[in-house]
Amino acid sequence: MKPLKIFVFLMFSVILSHAQSLSHGLKNAFRTDDVMAFKNALMQDKINLDSCLLLEDKPYSLLAISIRTGSIKILQDLISVKVDVDKICDDKLR
């Protein structure tokens, strides 16, 4: 059982080490549900559509963040460009 806990901890650490925080531009785009500002912030921050980003110290996909923030236009845009809807950014085993 102890090796499993160590493995889960290590996996979570790896996931968090690859997640960036949301930039001011992305936060603003989600807050205003502005697709053009969203796309500009992605390009400016060099963020891949399937990246994991930190929101409230937890990693989330862009799709999950758009759902959590109620950004319907951004959500529709992500779906239209076929973002990975099965992307999981957290180990969910805690």
Side-chain angles (χ1 to χ4, degrees):
M1 186 68 172
K2 189 173 182 177
L4 178 63
K5 287 182 181 181
I6 293 171
F7 175 75
V8 170
F9 175 75
L10 290 174
M11 289 302 297
F12 185 67
S13 298
V14 168
I15 290 169
L16 283 180
S17 69
H18 292 290
Q20 296 177 247
S21 294
L22 280 177
S23 68
H24 177 71
L26 274 175
K27 286 180 186 177
N28 187 50
F30 280 116
R31 186 175 47 76
T32 59
D33 198 15
D34 184 339
V35 175
M36 288 308 297
F38 174 72
K39 289 181 178 185
N40 288 337
L42 288 178
M43 286 191 322
Q44 188 174 31
D45 299 337
K46 298 177 182 149
I47 295 175
N48 180 309
L49 287 176
D50 291 321
S51 296
C52 295
L53 301 174
L54 292 177
L55 177 66
E56 300 169 0
D57 296 324
K58 294 181 184 175
Y60 292 97
S61 67
L62 291 171
L63 189 70
I65 294 170
S66 67
I67 292 167
R68 288 182 60 88
T69 59
S71 303
I72 303 302
K73 292 176 188 171
I74 293 175
L75 174 64
Q76 291 171 335
D77 183 67
L78 288 169
I79 292 170
S80 74
V81 295
K82 300 191 186 329
V83 71
D84 183 1
V85 297
D86 295 321
K87 178 77 174 178
I88 297 174
C89 293
D90 197 353
D91 62 11
K92 307 290 184 207
L93 297 174
R94 289 180 273 151

Coordinates of all heavy atoms in Angstrom, one line a residue:
M1 N 0.8 -1.2 0.0 CA 0.0 0.0 0.0 C 0.9 1.3 0.0 O 0.5 2.2 -0.6 CB -0.9 0.0 1.2 CG -1.9 1.1 1.2 SD -3.1 0.9 -0.1 CE -4.2 2.1 0.3
K2 N 2.0 1.2 0.7 CA 2.9 2.4 0.8 C 3.5 2.7 -0.6 O 3.5 3.9 -0.9 CB 4.0 2.1 1.8 CG 4.8 3.4 2.1 CD 5.7 3.2 3.2 CE 6.5 4.5 3.5 NZ 7.4 4.4 4.6
P3 N 3.9 1.7 -1.4 CA 4.4 2.0 -2.7 C 3.4 2.7 -3.6 O 3.7 3.6 -4.4 CB 4.8 0.7 -3.3 CG 5.1 -0.2 -2.1 CD 4.1 0.3 -1.0
L4 N 2.1 2.3 -3.4 CA 1.0 3.0 -4.2 C 0.9 4.4 -3.8 O 0.8 5.3 -4.7 CB -0.3 2.3 -4.0 CG -1.5 2.9 -4.7 CD1 -1.3 2.8 -6.2 CD2 -2.8 2.1 -4.3
K5 N 0.9 4.8 -2.5 CA 0.8 6.2 -2.1 C 2.0 7.0 -2.6 O 1.8 8.1 -3.1 CB 0.8 6.2 -0.6 CG -0.5 5.8 0.0 CD -0.5 5.9 1.5 CE -1.9 5.4 2.1 NZ -1.9 5.6 3.5
I6 N 3.2 6.4 -2.6 CA 4.4 7.1 -3.1 C 4.2 7.3 -4.6 O 4.5 8.4 -5.1 CB 5.7 6.3 -2.8 CG1 5.9 6.3 -1.3 CG2 6.8 6.9 -3.6 CD1 7.0 5.3 -0.9
F7 N 3.7 6.3 -5.4 CA 3.5 6.5 -6.8 C 2.5 7.6 -7.1 O 2.8 8.4 -8.0 CB 3.0 5.1 -7.4 CG 2.7 5.2 -8.8 CD1 3.7 5.3 -9.8 CD2 1.4 5.2 -9.2 CE1 3.4 5.4 -11.1 CE2 1.1 5.3 -10.6 CZ 2.1 5.4 -11.5
V8 N 1.4 7.6 -6.4 CA 0.4 8.6 -6.6 C 0.9 10.0 -6.3 O 0.7 10.9 -7.1 CB -0.9 8.3 -5.7 CG1 -1.8 9.5 -5.7 CG2 -1.6 7.1 -6.2
F9 N 1.7 10.1 -5.2 CA 2.3 11.4 -4.9 C 3.3 11.9 -6.0 O 3.2 13.0 -6.4 CB 3.0 11.3 -3.5 CG 3.8 12.6 -3.2 CD1 3.1 13.7 -2.7 CD2 5.2 12.6 -3.3 CE1 3.8 14.8 -2.4 CE2 5.9 13.8 -3.0 CZ 5.2 14.9 -2.5
L10 N 4.1 11.0 -6.5 CA 5.0 11.3 -7.5 C 4.3 11.7 -8.8 O 4.7 12.7 -9.5 CB 6.0 10.2 -7.8 CG 7.0 9.9 -6.7 CD1 7.8 8.7 -7.0 CD2 7.9 11.1 -6.5
M11 N 3.3 11.0 -9.2 CA 2.5 11.3 -10.4 C 1.9 12.7 -10.2 O 1.9 13.5 -11.2 CB 1.4 10.3 -10.7 CG 2.0 9.0 -11.1 SD 3.0 9.1 -12.6 CE 1.8 9.7 -13.8
F12 N 1.3 13.0 -9.1 CA 0.7 14.3 -8.9 C 1.7 15.4 -8.9 O 1.5 16.5 -9.5 CB 0.0 14.3 -7.5 CG -0.8 15.6 -7.2 CD1 -1.9 15.9 -8.0 CD2 -0.4 16.5 -6.2 CE1 -2.6 17.1 -7.8 CE2 -1.1 17.6 -6.0 CZ -2.2 17.9 -6.8
S13 N 2.9 15.2 -8.4 CA 4.0 16.1 -8.4 C 4.4 16.4 -9.9 O 4.7 17.6 -10.2 CB 5.2 15.6 -7.6 OG 4.9 15.5 -6.3
V14 N 4.5 15.4 -10.7 CA 4.9 15.6 -12.1 C 3.8 16.4 -12.8 O 4.1 17.3 -13.6 CB 5.1 14.2 -12.8 CG1 5.2 14.3 -14.3 CG2 6.3 13.5 -12.2
I15 N 2.6 16.1 -12.6 CA 1.5 16.8 -13.2 C 1.5 18.3 -12.9 O 1.4 19.1 -13.7 CB 0.1 16.2 -12.9 CG1 0.0 14.8 -13.5 CG2 -1.0 17.1 -13.3 CD1 -1.2 14.0 -13.0
L16 N 1.7 18.6 -11.6 CA 1.7 20.0 -11.2 C 2.9 20.7 -11.7 O 2.9 21.9 -12.0 CB 1.7 20.1 -9.7 CG 0.3 19.9 -9.0 CD1 0.4 20.0 -7.5 CD2 -0.7 20.8 -9.6
S17 N 4.0 20.0 -11.8 CA 5.3 20.7 -12.3 C 5.1 21.1 -13.8 O 5.8 22.0 -14.2 CB 6.5 19.8 -12.1 OG 6.4 18.7 -13.0
H18 N 4.2 20.5 -14.5 CA 4.0 20.8 -15.9 C 2.9 21.8 -16.1 O 2.7 22.3 -17.3 CB 3.8 19.6 -16.8 CG 4.9 18.7 -16.8 ND1 6.1 19.0 -17.6 CD2 5.2 17.5 -16.3 CE1 6.9 18.0 -17.4 NE2 6.4 17.1 -16.7
A19 N 2.2 22.1 -15.1 CA 1.0 23.0 -15.3 C 1.5 24.5 -15.0 O 2.2 24.8 -14.1 CB -0.1 22.7 -14.3
Q20 N 1.0 25.4 -15.9 CA 1.3 26.8 -15.7 C 0.1 27.4 -15.0 O -1.0 26.9 -15.1 CB 1.4 27.5 -17.1 CG 2.5 27.0 -18.0 CD 2.4 27.8 -19.3 OE1 2.2 27.1 -20.3 NE2 2.6 29.1 -19.3
S21 N 0.4 28.6 -14.5 CA -0.7 29.4 -13.9 C -1.4 30.1 -15.0 O -0.8 30.4 -16.1 CB -0.2 30.4 -12.9 OG 0.3 29.7 -11.8
L22 N -2.7 30.5 -14.8 CA -3.4 31.3 -15.8 C -2.8 32.7 -15.8 O -2.6 33.3 -14.8 CB -4.9 31.4 -15.4 CG -5.8 30.3 -15.8 CD1 -7.2 30.6 -15.2 CD2 -5.9 30.0 -17.2
S23 N -2.5 33.2 -17.0 CA -2.0 34.5 -17.2 C -3.1 35.5 -17.0 O -4.3 35.2 -17.0 CB -1.3 34.7 -18.5 OG -2.3 34.7 -19.5
H24 N -2.7 36.8 -16.8 CA -3.7 37.9 -16.7 C -4.6 37.9 -17.9 O -5.8 38.1 -17.8 CB -3.1 39.2 -16.4 CG -4.0 40.3 -16.3 ND1 -4.9 40.5 -15.3 CD2 -4.3 41.3 -17.2 CE1 -5.6 41.6 -15.5 NE2 -5.3 42.1 -16.7
G25 N -4.0 37.7 -19.1 CA -4.8 37.8 -20.3 C -5.8 36.7 -20.5 O -6.9 36.9 -20.9
L26 N -5.4 35.5 -20.0 CA -6.3 34.3 -20.1 C -7.4 34.5 -19.1 O -8.6 34.2 -19.3 CB -5.6 33.0 -19.9 CG -5.0 32.4 -21.1 CD1 -4.2 31.1 -20.7 CD2 -6.1 32.0 -22.1
K27 N -7.1 35.0 -17.9 CA -8.1 35.2 -16.8 C -9.1 36.2 -17.3 O -10.3 36.0 -17.2 CB -7.5 35.8 -15.5 CG -6.7 34.7 -14.8 CD -6.1 35.3 -13.5 CE -5.3 34.4 -12.8 NZ -4.6 35.0 -11.6
N28 N -8.7 37.3 -18.0 CA -9.6 38.3 -18.5 C -10.4 37.7 -19.6 O -11.6 38.0 -19.7 CB -8.8 39.5 -19.0 CG -9.6 40.7 -19.4 OD1 -10.5 41.0 -18.6 ND2 -9.4 41.2 -20.6
A29 N -9.8 36.9 -20.5 CA -10.6 36.3 -21.6 C -11.7 35.4 -21.1 O -12.9 35.5 -21.5 CB -9.7 35.6 -22.5
F30 N -11.4 34.6 -20.1 CA -12.4 33.8 -19.5 C -13.5 34.6 -18.8 O -14.7 34.3 -18.8 CB -11.8 32.7 -18.5 CG -11.2 31.6 -19.2 CD1 -9.8 31.3 -19.1 CD2 -12.0 30.7 -19.9 CE1 -9.3 30.2 -19.7 CE2 -11.4 29.6 -20.5 CZ -10.0 29.3 -20.4
R31 N -13.1 35.6 -18.1 CA -14.0 36.5 -17.3 C -15.0 37.2 -18.2 O -16.2 37.3 -17.9 CB -13.3 37.5 -16.5 CG -14.1 38.3 -15.5 CD -13.3 39.3 -14.6 NE -12.3 40.0 -15.3 CZ -12.5 41.1 -16.1 NH1 -13.8 41.5 -16.3 NH2 -11.6 41.8 -16.7
T32 N -14.5 37.6 -19.4 CA -15.4 38.3 -20.3 C -15.9 37.4 -21.4 O -16.7 37.9 -22.2 CB -14.6 39.5 -21.0 OG1 -13.4 38.9 -21.7 CG2 -14.1 40.5 -20.0
D33 N -15.5 36.2 -21.5 CA -15.9 35.2 -22.5 C -15.6 35.7 -23.9 O -16.5 35.7 -24.8 CB -17.4 34.9 -22.3 CG -17.8 33.6 -23.0 OD1 -16.9 32.8 -23.4 OD2 -19.0 33.3 -23.2
D34 N -14.4 36.3 -24.1 CA -14.0 36.9 -25.3 C -13.1 35.9 -26.1 O -11.9 35.7 -25.7 CB -13.3 38.2 -25.0 CG -12.9 39.0 -26.2 OD1 -12.8 38.4 -27.3 OD2 -12.6 40.2 -26.1
V35 N -13.6 35.4 -27.1 CA -12.8 34.4 -27.9 C -11.6 34.9 -28.5 O -10.5 34.3 -28.5 CB -13.7 33.7 -29.0 CG1 -12.9 32.7 -29.8 CG2 -14.9 33.0 -28.3
M36 N -11.6 36.1 -29.1 CA -10.4 36.7 -29.7 C -9.4 37.0 -28.6 O -8.2 36.8 -28.9 CB -10.8 38.0 -30.4 CG -11.6 37.8 -31.7 SD -10.8 36.5 -32.8 CE -9.2 37.4 -33.2
A37 N -9.8 37.5 -27.5 CA -8.8 37.8 -26.4 C -8.2 36.4 -25.9 O -7.0 36.4 -25.6 CB -9.5 38.5 -25.2
F38 N -9.0 35.4 -25.9 CA -8.6 34.1 -25.5 C -7.5 33.5 -26.5 O -6.4 33.1 -26.1 CB -9.8 33.1 -25.5 CG -9.5 31.7 -25.2 CD1 -9.1 31.2 -24.0 CD2 -9.6 30.8 -26.3 CE1 -8.8 29.9 -23.8 CE2 -9.3 29.4 -26.1 CZ -8.9 29.0 -24.8
K39 N -7.8 33.6 -27.8 CA -6.8 33.2 -28.8 C -5.6 34.0 -28.7 O -4.5 33.4 -28.9 CB -7.5 33.2 -30.2 CG -8.5 32.2 -30.4 CD -9.1 32.2 -31.8 CE -10.2 31.2 -32.0 NZ -10.7 31.1 -33.3
N40 N -5.7 35.3 -28.5 CA -4.5 36.1 -28.5 C -3.6 35.8 -27.2 O -2.4 35.7 -27.3 CB -4.9 37.6 -28.4 CG -5.4 38.1 -29.8 OD1 -5.1 37.6 -30.8 ND2 -6.2 39.2 -29.7
A41 N -4.3 35.5 -26.1 CA -3.6 35.2 -24.9 C -2.9 33.8 -25.0 O -1.7 33.7 -24.6 CB -4.5 35.2 -23.7
L42 N -3.5 32.9 -25.7 CA -2.9 31.6 -26.0 C -1.6 31.8 -26.8 O -0.6 31.1 -26.5 CB -3.9 30.6 -26.7 CG -5.0 30.1 -25.9 CD1 -5.9 29.2 -26.8 CD2 -4.5 29.3 -24.7
M43 N -1.7 32.6 -27.8 CA -0.5 32.8 -28.7 C 0.5 33.5 -27.9 O 1.7 33.1 -28.0 CB -0.9 33.5 -30.0 CG -1.7 32.7 -30.9 SD -1.9 33.4 -32.6 CE -2.2 35.1 -32.3
Q44 N 0.2 34.5 -27.2 CA 1.1 35.3 -26.5 C 1.8 34.5 -25.4 O 3.1 34.6 -25.2 CB 0.4 36.5 -25.8 CG 1.4 37.5 -25.2 CD 0.6 38.8 -24.7 OE1 -0.5 38.7 -24.3 NE2 1.3 39.9 -24.8
D45 N 1.1 33.7 -24.7 CA 1.7 32.8 -23.7 C 2.2 31.5 -24.1 O 2.8 30.7 -23.4 CB 0.6 32.6 -22.6 CG 0.1 33.8 -21.9 OD1 0.8 34.8 -21.9 OD2 -1.0 33.8 -21.4
K46 N 2.1 31.3 -25.5 CA 2.6 30.0 -26.1 C 2.0 28.8 -25.4 O 2.7 27.9 -25.0 CB 4.1 30.0 -26.1 CG 4.7 31.1 -26.9 CD 6.2 31.1 -26.9 CE 6.7 32.3 -27.7 NZ 7.9 32.9 -27.2
I47 N 0.7 28.8 -25.3 CA 0.0 27.7 -24.6 C -0.7 26.8 -25.6 O -1.4 27.3 -26.5 CB -1.0 28.2 -23.6 CG1 -0.3 29.0 -22.5 CG2 -1.9 27.1 -23.0 CD1 -1.2 29.6 -21.5
N48 N -0.5 25.5 -25.5 CA -1.1 24.5 -26.4 C -2.5 24.3 -25.9 O -2.8 24.4 -24.7 CB -0.3 23.2 -26.2 CG -0.9 22.1 -27.1 OD1 -2.0 21.8 -27.0 ND2 0.0 21.5 -27.8
L49 N -3.5 24.0 -26.8 CA -4.9 23.9 -26.5 C -5.1 22.7 -25.5 O -6.1 22.7 -24.8 CB -5.7 23.7 -27.7 CG -5.9 24.9 -28.6 CD1 -6.7 24.5 -29.8 CD2 -6.7 26.0 -27.8
D50 N -4.2 21.7 -25.5 CA -4.4 20.6 -24.6 C -3.5 20.7 -23.3 O -3.3 19.7 -22.7 CB -4.1 19.3 -25.3 CG -5.2 19.0 -26.4 OD1 -6.4 19.2 -26.1 OD2 -4.8 18.5 -27.5
S51 N -3.1 21.9 -23.0 CA -2.3 22.1 -21.8 C -3.1 22.0 -20.5 O -4.3 22.2 -20.6 CB -1.6 23.5 -21.9 OG -0.7 23.6 -22.9
C52 N -2.4 21.8 -19.4 CA -3.1 21.9 -18.1 C -2.6 23.2 -17.5 O -1.4 23.5 -17.5 CB -2.6 20.7 -17.2 SG -3.2 19.1 -17.8
L53 N -3.5 24.0 -16.9 CA -3.2 25.2 -16.3 C -3.7 25.2 -14.9 O -4.7 24.6 -14.6 CB -3.8 26.4 -17.1 CG -3.4 26.5 -18.5 CD1 -4.1 27.6 -19.2 CD2 -1.9 26.8 -18.6
L54 N -3.0 26.0 -14.0 CA -3.4 26.0 -12.6 C -4.5 27.0 -12.4 O -4.4 28.2 -12.8 CB -2.3 26.3 -11.7 CG -1.2 25.3 -11.6 CD1 0.0 25.8 -10.7 CD2 -1.7 24.0 -11.0
L55 N -5.6 26.6 -11.8 CA -6.7 27.5 -11.4 C -7.0 27.1 -9.9 O -7.3 26.0 -9.6 CB -7.9 27.2 -12.2 CG -9.2 28.0 -11.9 CD1 -8.9 29.5 -12.1 CD2 -10.4 27.6 -12.7
E56 N -6.8 28.1 -9.0 CA -7.0 27.8 -7.6 C -6.1 26.7 -7.1 O -6.5 25.8 -6.4 CB -8.5 27.6 -7.3 CG -9.4 28.7 -7.6 CD -10.8 28.4 -7.6 OE1 -11.2 27.2 -7.3 OE2 -11.6 29.3 -7.9
D57 N -4.8 26.7 -7.6 CA -3.8 25.7 -7.2 C -4.1 24.3 -7.6 O -3.6 23.3 -7.1 CB -3.5 25.8 -5.7 CG -2.9 27.1 -5.3 OD1 -2.2 27.7 -6.1 OD2 -3.3 27.6 -4.2
K58 N -5.0 24.1 -8.6 CA -5.3 22.8 -9.1 C -5.2 22.8 -10.6 O -5.6 23.8 -11.2 CB -6.7 22.3 -8.7 CG -6.9 22.1 -7.2 CD -8.3 21.6 -6.9 CE -8.4 21.5 -5.4 NZ -9.8 21.2 -5.0
P59 N -4.7 21.8 -11.2 CA -4.5 21.8 -12.7 C -5.9 21.4 -13.4 O -6.6 20.5 -13.0 CB -3.5 20.7 -13.0 CG -3.6 19.7 -11.8 CD -4.1 20.6 -10.6
Y60 N -6.2 22.2 -14.4 CA -7.4 22.0 -15.2 C -7.1 22.2 -16.7 O -6.2 23.0 -17.1 CB -8.5 23.0 -14.9 CG -9.1 22.9 -13.5 CD1 -8.6 23.6 -12.4 CD2 -10.1 22.0 -13.3 CE1 -9.1 23.5 -11.2 CE2 -10.6 21.8 -12.0 CZ -10.2 22.6 -11.0 OH -10.7 22.5 -9.7
S61 N -7.8 21.5 -17.6 CA -7.7 21.7 -19.0 C -8.4 23.0 -19.3 O -9.2 23.6 -18.5 CB -8.3 20.6 -19.8 OG -9.7 20.6 -19.6
L62 N -8.1 23.6 -20.5 CA -8.8 24.8 -20.9 C -10.3 24.6 -21.1 O -11.1 25.4 -20.7 CB -8.2 25.3 -22.3 CG -6.8 25.8 -22.2 CD1 -6.3 26.0 -23.7 CD2 -6.7 27.1 -21.4
L63 N -10.7 23.4 -21.5 CA -12.1 23.0 -21.6 C -12.7 23.1 -20.2 O -13.8 23.6 -20.0 CB -12.2 21.6 -22.2 CG -13.6 21.2 -22.6 CD1 -14.1 21.9 -23.8 CD2 -13.6 19.7 -22.9
A64 N -12.1 22.5 -19.2 CA -12.6 22.5 -17.9 C -12.7 23.9 -17.3 O -13.7 24.2 -16.6 CB -11.8 21.6 -16.9
I65 N -11.7 24.7 -17.6 CA -11.8 26.1 -17.1 C -12.9 26.9 -17.7 O -13.6 27.6 -17.0 CB -10.4 26.8 -17.3 CG1 -9.3 26.1 -16.5 CG2 -10.5 28.3 -17.0 CD1 -7.9 26.6 -16.9
S66 N -13.1 26.6 -19.0 CA -14.2 27.4 -19.7 C -15.6 26.9 -19.0 O -16.5 27.8 -18.9 CB -14.2 27.1 -21.2 OG -14.5 25.8 -21.5
I67 N -15.7 25.7 -18.7 CA -16.9 25.2 -18.0 C -17.1 25.8 -16.6 O -18.1 26.3 -16.3 CB -17.0 23.7 -18.0 CG1 -17.1 23.1 -19.4 CG2 -18.1 23.2 -17.1 CD1 -16.8 21.6 -19.5
R68 N -16.0 25.8 -15.9 CA -16.0 26.3 -14.5 C -16.3 27.8 -14.4 O -16.9 28.2 -13.5 CB -14.7 26.0 -13.8 CG -14.5 24.5 -13.4 CD -13.2 24.3 -12.7 NE -13.1 25.1 -11.5 CZ -13.5 24.6 -10.3 NH1 -14.1 23.5 -10.2 NH2 -13.4 25.4 -9.2
T69 N -15.8 28.5 -15.5 CA -16.0 30.0 -15.5 C -17.3 30.4 -16.2 O -17.6 31.6 -16.2 CB -14.8 30.7 -16.1 OG1 -14.6 30.2 -17.4 CG2 -13.6 30.4 -15.2
G70 N -18.0 29.4 -16.8 CA -19.2 29.8 -17.5 C -18.9 30.5 -18.8 O -19.8 31.2 -19.3
S71 N -17.8 30.3 -19.4 CA -17.4 31.0 -20.7 C -17.9 30.1 -21.9 O -17.1 29.4 -22.5 CB -15.9 31.1 -20.7 OG -15.4 31.9 -19.6
I72 N -19.1 30.3 -22.2 CA -19.8 29.5 -23.2 C -19.2 29.7 -24.6 O -19.0 28.7 -25.3 CB -21.3 29.8 -23.3 CG1 -22.0 29.6 -21.9 CG2 -22.0 29.0 -24.3 CD1 -21.8 28.2 -21.3
K73 N -18.9 30.9 -25.0 CA -18.3 31.2 -26.3 C -16.9 30.5 -26.4 O -16.6 29.9 -27.5 CB -18.2 32.7 -26.6 CG -19.5 33.4 -26.7 CD -19.4 34.9 -26.9 CE -20.7 35.6 -26.8 NZ -20.5 37.0 -26.8
I74 N -16.1 30.6 -25.4 CA -14.8 30.0 -25.4 C -15.0 28.5 -25.4 O -14.3 27.8 -26.2 CB -13.9 30.4 -24.2 CG1 -13.6 31.9 -24.4 CG2 -12.7 29.6 -24.1 CD1 -12.9 32.5 -23.2
L75 N -15.9 27.9 -24.7 CA -16.2 26.5 -24.7 C -16.6 26.0 -26.1 O -16.1 25.0 -26.6 CB -17.3 26.2 -23.7 CG -17.8 24.7 -23.7 CD1 -16.8 23.8 -23.3 CD2 -19.1 24.6 -22.8
Q76 N -17.5 26.8 -26.8 CA -17.9 26.4 -28.1 C -16.7 26.5 -29.1 O -16.6 25.6 -29.9 CB -19.0 27.3 -28.6 CG -20.3 27.1 -27.9 CD -21.4 28.2 -28.2 OE1 -21.0 29.3 -28.5 NE2 -22.6 27.8 -28.0
D77 N -15.8 27.4 -28.9 CA -14.7 27.5 -29.8 C -13.7 26.4 -29.6 O -13.2 25.8 -30.5 CB -13.9 28.9 -29.5 CG -12.8 29.0 -30.5 OD1 -13.0 29.2 -31.7 OD2 -11.6 29.0 -30.0
L78 N -13.5 26.0 -28.3 CA -12.6 24.8 -28.0 C -13.2 23.6 -28.6 O -12.5 22.7 -29.2 CB -12.5 24.7 -26.5 CG -11.6 25.7 -25.8 CD1 -11.7 25.7 -24.3 CD2 -10.1 25.6 -26.3
I79 N -14.5 23.4 -28.5 CA -15.1 22.2 -29.1 C -15.0 22.2 -30.6 O -14.7 21.2 -31.3 CB -16.6 22.1 -28.7 CG1 -16.7 21.8 -27.2 CG2 -17.3 21.0 -29.5 CD1 -18.0 21.9 -26.6
S80 N -15.2 23.4 -31.2 CA -15.1 23.5 -32.7 C -13.7 23.2 -33.2 O -13.6 22.7 -34.4 CB -15.6 24.9 -33.2 OG -14.6 25.9 -32.9
V81 N -12.7 23.4 -32.4 CA -11.3 23.1 -32.9 C -10.9 21.7 -32.4 O -9.7 21.4 -32.5 CB -10.3 24.2 -32.5 CG1 -10.6 25.5 -33.2 CG2 -10.2 24.3 -31.0
K82 N -11.8 21.0 -31.9 CA -11.6 19.6 -31.5 C -10.6 19.4 -30.4 O -9.7 18.6 -30.5 CB -11.3 18.7 -32.7 CG -12.5 18.7 -33.7 CD -12.3 17.7 -34.8 CE -13.3 17.7 -35.9 NZ -14.6 18.2 -35.7
V83 N -10.7 20.2 -29.4 CA -9.8 20.1 -28.2 C -10.1 18.7 -27.6 O -11.1 18.2 -27.7 CB -10.0 21.2 -27.2 CG1 -11.3 21.1 -26.5 CG2 -8.8 21.3 -26.2
D84 N -9.1 18.1 -26.9 CA -9.2 16.8 -26.3 C -10.2 16.9 -25.2 O -9.9 17.4 -24.1 CB -7.9 16.3 -25.8 CG -7.9 14.9 -25.2 OD1 -9.0 14.3 -25.2 OD2 -6.8 14.5 -24.7
V85 N -11.4 16.3 -25.4 CA -12.5 16.4 -24.4 C -12.2 15.4 -23.2 O -12.9 15.4 -22.2 CB -13.9 16.2 -25.0 CG1 -14.2 17.3 -25.9 CG2 -14.0 14.9 -25.6
D86 N -11.3 14.4 -23.4 CA -11.0 13.4 -22.4 C -9.8 13.8 -21.6 O -9.4 13.0 -20.8 CB -10.8 12.1 -23.1 CG -12.0 11.5 -23.8 OD1 -13.1 11.7 -23.2 OD2 -11.9 11.0 -24.9
K87 N -9.3 15.0 -21.8 CA -8.1 15.4 -21.1 C -8.3 15.5 -19.6 O -9.3 16.1 -19.1 CB -7.6 16.8 -21.6 CG -6.4 17.3 -20.9 CD -5.2 16.7 -21.4 CE -3.9 17.4 -20.8 NZ -2.7 16.7 -21.3
I88 N -7.5 14.8 -18.8 CA -7.5 14.8 -17.3 C -6.2 15.4 -16.8 O -5.2 14.9 -17.1 CB -7.8 13.4 -16.7 CG1 -9.1 12.9 -17.2 CG2 -7.7 13.5 -15.2 CD1 -9.4 11.5 -16.8
C89 N -6.3 16.5 -16.1 CA -5.1 17.1 -15.6 C -4.8 16.8 -14.1 O -3.7 17.3 -13.6 CB -5.2 18.6 -15.8 SG -5.3 19.1 -17.5
D90 N -5.6 16.1 -13.5 CA -5.4 15.8 -12.1 C -5.5 14.3 -11.9 O -6.2 13.6 -12.7 CB -6.5 16.5 -11.2 CG -6.1 16.6 -9.7 OD1 -5.1 16.0 -9.4 OD2 -6.9 17.2 -9.0
D91 N -4.8 13.7 -11.0 CA -4.8 12.3 -10.8 C -6.1 11.7 -10.3 O -6.4 10.6 -10.4 CB -3.6 11.8 -9.9 CG -3.7 12.3 -8.5 OD1 -4.8 12.9 -8.1 OD2 -2.7 12.2 -7.8
K92 N -7.0 12.5 -9.7 CA -8.3 12.1 -9.2 C -8.3 11.0 -8.2 O -9.3 10.4 -7.9 CB -9.2 11.8 -10.3 CG -9.3 12.8 -11.4 CD -10.1 14.0 -11.0 CE -10.2 15.0 -12.1 NZ -10.4 16.3 -11.8
L93 N -7.1 10.7 -7.7 CA -7.0 9.5 -6.8 C -6.8 9.9 -5.3 O -6.6 9.1 -4.4 CB -5.8 8.6 -7.2 CG -5.9 8.0 -8.5 CD1 -4.7 7.2 -8.9 CD2 -7.1 7.0 -8.6
R94 N -6.9 11.2 -5.0 CA -6.7 11.7 -3.7 C -7.9 11.4 -2.8 O -8.9 11.2 -3.1 CB -6.4 13.2 -3.7 CG -5.1 13.5 -4.2 CD -4.8 14.9 -4.2 NE -5.3 15.5 -5.5 CZ -5.8 16.7 -5.6 NH1 -5.8 17.5 -4.6 NH2 -6.2 17.1 -6.7

